[in-house]
Amino acid sequence: MKSNFIKEIINKDLKLGKNRSRVHTRFPPEPNGYLHIGHAKSICLNFGLADDYNGGKCNLRFDDTNPATEDKEYVDSIIEDVKWLGFDWGDRLYYASDYFDQFYMHAIKLINLGKAYVDDQSAETIRKSRGTLTEPGKISKYRSRSIDENLKLFEQMKKGKFKTGSKVLRAKIDMEHPNINMRDPVIYRIIHKEHHRTGSKWCIYPMYDWAHGLEDSIEKITHSLCTLEFENHRPLYDWFLQQLGIFHPQQIEFARLNLNYTIMSKRKLKKLVEKKYVRGWDDPRMPTISGLRRRGYTPQSIIQFSEKIGVAKRDGIIDCAFLEHCLREDLNKTAYRVMGVLNPLKVTILNYPKNKTEYLLAENNPEDSSFGNRKIMFSRELYIEKTDFLENAPSKYFRLSLGKEVRLKHAYYITCVDYKKDKNGIVSELFCNYDPKTKGGWSDDGRKIKGTLHWVSAKDCINAEVRLYNNLFDIENPDSEGENFINHINQNSLIILKNSKLENCLSKPDSNINYQFMRIGYFCVDKDSNSDKLVYNRTVTLKDSWLKKNIK
């Protein structure tokens, strides 16, 4: 890690012999949505720390304490995401719902200690009575209930005798505490809804602050890593464990990951999905791990990104260009080089025989010879990019224009001698001559050609739909707009090209392979592809704006 104050804390603990001289972490997602890139940072941190210490362990644990928002679909997606990133929890897969009976018995103990009571006030009344940072809270009239009365009422709550929201169990701490979280927090509420694992067995469910420390204690977690919003909850975490006299892990907070042009709130991401602003949780414009995977991100690039940004004590915003930089670094080594023409312009080579075809040799990755070579067809009719031709080109234009010579990658030099336009006055076809002595794209006579174009053979290419993805939002910090973040969706976040022409080798796409379309960017096959239609997603462009800004 670039900076990891957490390891400094752990190393100090181990020297002092704390927590039995071991390291045991956990990744504890709530299954109420799909994981995003911020969760990926936490996954890499928790599992990475366990790997860094001999005998270290990391649990995967689902905090499934709210049946109103959770679903097995989210559980399955989270398991898939963590596996895809390459992390293994062994036999340490747990659920908060595994411990509901223990949570309940601990609550009984707290009541018997005179440290918890049943409150009949509504959630709104309780919220208002907690006070402010400058004013103390207001004591509930139900706070003086006897231990026996609280035990009886709590048991009736468990048996379903009361309506949803009609009663809660609160910890009895201090309504004048400077930390508002310590002002008699709610630890159980009534929710008459089936749970995805326990069914209808329970109708009372623990609040996160109650469950969090108990889960960690039950699993003998040594270091409980949380994002900074839980820093003010740490005194409550400690208080519960101290009152119960059970194993006490150490909670450590770190800064969450924020990216510009991105939303990280699961609630807001869910709104994007439900209101159909995107095409599901795995839409390639989403910052979800499944969306990044579909777009063509690699596990290695996300892990490298997480390691390079390090672990901070204060929140900040990371430039999404840096995430793309890490992706390019990985894809540059692992992607196959091919040619694809996104906006095709037909080229006819007048002096090339009409019925002739030949196969030229092309390298699959110049960074690594083990990728081997492939053969590509060359014929009289080709396609190049429309943007690679200008009618009235300036003097320093090194692509194709009338009378100008360029190199076709892996093929020959060609010179444009004429062109034609369609009925709308748009150039629709170029007529060129080629130099047969420049096979392979090189000349022995010392001619210097500055322009090199990619191309495909019209006789051998395949048709495909290509989807170009850009930032989902058009402002750097859409979260700052509150619920108006929807108004800042980038209208050009998805551009669909339906008539792209690709090399024939892409006709049988492999979802495990990333491709570099030369001169354009990195691409991968999309799951929408079928036998009738090939769909490729642009993962990232070749232009590295972060590198340009940060490397002088």
Side-chain angles (χ1 to χ4, degrees):
M1 295 278 184
K2 177 183 177 184
S3 169
N4 196 337
F5 69 94
I6 295 175
K7 290 189 76 170
E8 295 174 6
I9 293 173
I10 292 175
N11 291 337
K12 190 183 228 181
D13 285 348
L14 295 177
K15 285 181 180 179
L16 294 173
K18 286 187 176 183
N19 294 317
R20 302 178 187 174
S21 299
R22 61 192 177 85
V23 174
H24 197 159
T25 60
R26 84 288 177 268
F27 173 62
E30 183 181 357
N32 62 350
Y34 281 58
L35 299 183
H36 54 60
I37 184 66
H39 296 111
K41 174 186 174 181
S42 182
I43 292 168
C44 294
L45 176 60
N46 279 284
F47 281 94
L49 283 170
D51 288 340
D52 287 344
Y53 293 90
N54 185 34
K57 297 177 182 178
C58 182
N59 298 352
L60 174 60
R61 179 216 299 151
F62 290 95
D63 274 319
D64 56 343
T65 58
N66 186 357
T69 60
E70 297 159 358
D71 195 279
K72 188 176 183 299
E73 174 192 350
Y74 301 135
V75 171
D76 293 340
S77 72
I78 290 168
I79 288 174
E80 181 182 5
D81 288 343
V82 179
K83 282 183 177 178
W84 177 74
L85 283 171
F87 296 106
D88 182 11
W89 53 88
D91 58 356
R92 296 180 303 280
L93 174 61
Y94 303 110
Y95 296 81
S97 53
D98 292 336
Y99 313 130
F100 280 176
D101 287 293
Q102 290 165 275
F103 292 170
Y104 179 76
M105 294 310 298
H106 281 307
I108 294 293
K109 181 176 180 179
L110 206 62
I111 294 172
N112 277 315
L113 290 170
K115 299 291 186 178
Y117 63 98
V118 174
D119 195 337
D120 295 1
Q121 295 181 114
S122 68
E124 180 64 18
T125 301
I126 291 173
R127 185 187 66 79
K128 290 180 178 178
S129 69
R130 293 179 78 195
T132 66
L133 293 174
T134 57
E135 296 179 356
K138 184 178 180 181
I139 292 175
S140 168
K141 66 180 181 180
Y142 302 103
R143 199 175 195 261
S144 59
R145 277 174 166 159
S146 69
I147 289 174
D148 287 342
E149 186 180 6
N150 284 316
L151 289 172
K152 181 180 178 181
L153 287 171
F154 190 48
E155 183 181 5
Q156 289 176 331
M157 286 171 61
K158 177 178 179 288
K159 290 181 177 179
K161 301 293 184 181
F162 306 114
K163 294 180 180 179
T164 294
S166 61
K167 294 184 190 298
V168 295
L169 183 69
R170 297 177 71 179
K172 187 186 290 187
I173 308 179
D174 181 0
M175 290 302 290
E176 296 185 1
H177 200 286
N179 185 333
I180 293 178
N181 293 304
M182 299 294 282
R183 296 178 186 174
D184 290 11
V186 173
I187 57 178
Y188 267 98
R189 76 280 210 206
I190 301 171
I191 303 177
H192 287 281
K193 188 174 179 64
E194 286 215 353
H195 188 277
H196 70 100
R197 294 187 74 243
T198 61
S200 57
K201 178 181 176 181
W202 295 90
C203 64
I204 56 170
Y205 291 93
M207 299 297 288
Y208 179 79
D209 279 332
W210 174 246
H212 179 199
L214 299 183
E215 294 167 299
D216 288 344
S217 180
I218 291 166
E219 295 174 15
K220 297 295 187 289
I221 300 302
T222 59
H223 299 87
S224 180
L225 310 182
C226 306
T227 46
L228 284 177
E229 61 262 38
F230 293 101
E231 186 172 22
N232 287 333
H233 294 251
R234 193 199 319 155
L236 184 55
Y237 179 98
D238 293 336
W239 187 88
F240 284 137
L241 297 176
Q242 288 163 2
Q243 298 304 312
L244 295 169
I246 57 179
F247 180 82
H248 195 153
Q250 180 180 7
Q251 178 175 307
I252 306 170
E253 302 84 18
F254 64 94
R256 65 183 295 173
L257 171 62
N258 296 297
L259 286 177
N260 59 1
Y261 298 101
T262 307
I263 285 288
M264 290 294 195
S265 160
K266 270 199 283 189
R267 181 183 61 80
K268 291 180 178 179
L269 293 175
K270 192 172 185 180
K271 184 175 181 179
L272 290 172
V273 173
E274 291 178 342
K275 299 296 183 182
K276 300 189 184 304
Y277 292 105
V278 294
R279 301 176 174 185
W281 285 97
D282 68 345
D283 187 302
R285 292 168 292 179
M286 292 278 274
T288 55
I289 296 176
S290 57
L292 294 170
R293 179 166 63 243
R294 184 175 175 183
R295 184 160 171 169
Y297 273 74
T298 63
Q300 294 77 14
S301 64
I302 294 174
I303 292 170
Q304 181 189 55
F305 170 72
S306 299
E307 290 178 345
K308 286 189 173 183
I309 61 174
V311 183
K313 293 183 180 181
R314 291 196 297 179
D315 284 329
I317 297 179
I318 304 294
D319 191 341
C320 62
F322 183 59
L323 175 61
E324 294 178 346
H325 166 74
C326 293
L327 175 62
R328 290 187 188 92
E329 279 197 332
D330 185 50
L331 292 180
N332 186 52
K333 296 178 289 187
T334 61
Y336 282 77
R337 271 53 166 183
V338 294
M339 293 190 288
V341 177
L342 304 193
N343 293 288
L345 173 62
K346 187 177 180 181
V347 174
T348 298
I349 301 177
L350 299 175
N351 63 333
Y352 194 88
K354 288 186 178 181
N355 297 318
K356 180 182 177 181
T357 58
E358 61 181 306
Y359 286 90
L360 306 171
L361 200 63
E363 57 199 2
N364 289 326
N365 188 327
E367 302 289 324
D368 189 342
S369 60
S370 69
F371 278 68
N373 300 305
R374 70 187 183 283
K375 292 182 178 180
I376 51 177
M377 180 186 286
F378 188 84
S379 58
R380 177 183 171 90
E381 295 180 342
L382 313 170
Y383 290 110
I384 66 168
E385 295 285 352
K386 285 182 179 178
T387 52
D388 280 337
F389 175 80
L390 276 182
E391 286 185 81
N392 302 301
S395 59
K396 292 188 177 181
Y397 182 75
F398 300 121
R399 290 178 246 179
L400 207 55
S401 61
L402 193 62
K404 186 160 278 188
E405 188 176 40
V406 298
R407 175 191 295 109
L408 295 180
K409 183 69 174 178
H410 303 306
Y412 296 96
Y413 291 2
I414 63 169
T415 303
C416 181
V417 296
D418 201 3
Y419 59 89
K420 72 175 182 180
K421 298 182 178 182
D422 61 19
K423 61 182 180 181
N424 297 314
I426 298 172
V427 174
S428 59
E429 185 175 1
L430 305 182
F431 301 99
C432 299
N433 287 327
Y434 87 115
D435 183 345
K437 296 179 180 179
T438 58
K439 187 173 183 178
W442 303 103
S443 171
D444 292 331
D445 60 11
R447 291 187 346 248
K448 293 184 178 181
I449 302 295
K450 291 187 177 181
T452 299
L453 309 185
H454 62 278
W455 56 277
V456 293
S457 164
K459 195 170 186 178
D460 192 49
C461 68
I462 58 172
N463 293 320
E465 176 179 302
V466 173
R467 298 172 182 174
L468 308 180
Y469 294 99
N470 300 299
N471 291 330
L472 183 56
F473 295 96
D474 57 16
I475 58 173
E476 280 209 51
N477 187 9
D479 237 346
S480 66
E481 299 297 309
E483 295 307 309
N484 293 325
F485 75 99
I486 291 293
N487 299 332
H488 295 280
I489 292 178
N490 178 10
Q491 299 305 307
N492 292 314
S493 62
L494 170 60
I495 299 170
I496 299 177
L497 306 174
K498 293 184 175 292
N499 190 38
S500 297
K501 310 292 184 181
L502 311 180
E503 270 191 58
N504 187 273
C505 66
L506 294 168
S507 61
K508 295 180 180 178
D510 187 335
S511 59
N512 295 314
I513 293 179
N514 292 85
Y515 302 93
Q516 185 194 106
F517 290 7
M518 285 186 282
R519 300 178 65 231
I520 301 175
Y522 294 97
F523 292 77
C524 70
V525 65
D526 187 77
K527 70 177 187 178
D528 287 345
S529 291
N530 54 50
S531 58
D532 298 321
K533 181 179 75 171
L534 282 173
V535 180
Y536 278 85
N537 297 326
R538 183 175 68 188
T539 305
V540 66
T541 63
L542 293 179
K543 185 179 179 181
D544 196 329
S545 58
W546 182 87
L547 193 67
K548 186 176 181 181
K549 283 190 294 184
N550 291 277
I551 305 297
K552 303 300 182 183

